[in-house]
Amino acid sequence: DSGVTQTPKHLITATGQRVTLRCSPRSGDLSVYWYQQSLDQGLQFLIQYYNGEERAKGNILERFSAQQFPDLHSELNLSSLELGDSALYFCASSGGRVTNYGYTFGSGTRLTVV
Amino acid sequence: EDQVTQSPEALRLQEGESSSLNCSYTVSGLRGLFWYRQDPGKGPEFLFTLYSAGEEKEKERLKATLTKKESFLHITAPKPEDSATYLCAVQGRGTSYGKLTFGQGTILTVHP
């Protein structure tokens, strides 16, 4: 157990629907990162939050949004889902705004859009 | 923009057969280079961070080295349990906060 908890582990939904992925960071970590991993794209950075504030944005689609709550857990919202959104979504956490010691990743949420 | 290229894409070894994985990178001022191991269906597991050219780090059968343009992950006398995907990532000084840029990974299979 890495200490980063992601729920649900698996999600199957239809095109056009909206889903929410949840992440609880490792105890004491203030930064949360979301990554998407697909077979052809590898791990792609989506967004980072630090202590409730958005800090960095990557290749995140406008249909996707995220937030970090006062208790530091984070949610990634995916809407108007398309078949191409099927992927593994990972959350990671670290102690500070900039990490020199690597992230700690969760076990991921596998999203299948049918 | 930071870029990471890993080679080979896949590597098959016999147990005990040592080899190396390559990670070539371009970055605007390296803050750190990271190696991760990922097992199927699981999240990446942190292995090493390297900060400057010439630096080396070891953990069991793994040794990571760094030059100004690439990093190598040397695997000495591998065992079947070393089979996994190995990911390399960089963080540049121009990068927004903690963002890491990952390579596509090398899939390592070690046969008994």
Side-chain angles (χ1 to χ4, degrees), chain A residues 52 98 113:
Chain A
V98 178
V113 183

Side-chain angles (χ1 to χ4, degrees), chain A residues 48-82:
Chain A
Q48 177 198 2
Y49 277 83
Y50 173 78
N51 202 21
E53 294 185 10
E54 182 185 305
R55 285 299 187 180
K57 222 167 186 177
N59 300 323
I60 188 167
L61 300 172
E62 286 191 11
R63 302 183 284 108
F64 295 2
S65 65
Q67 54 184 329
Q68 187 179 29
F69 295 88
D71 66 353
L72 300 178
H73 92 271
S74 178
E75 292 181 355
L76 179 66
N77 300 297
L78 314 177
S79 62
S80 303
L81 285 168
E82 303 174 358

Side-chain angles (χ1 to χ4, degrees), chain B residues 81-101:
Chain B
E81 53 261 43
D82 294 322
S83 297
T85 297
Y86 290 85
L87 298 167
C88 173
V90 295
Q91 182 182 70
R93 293 192 181 281
T95 299
S96 299
Y97 293 91
K99 173 191 172 184
L100 298 186
T101 299

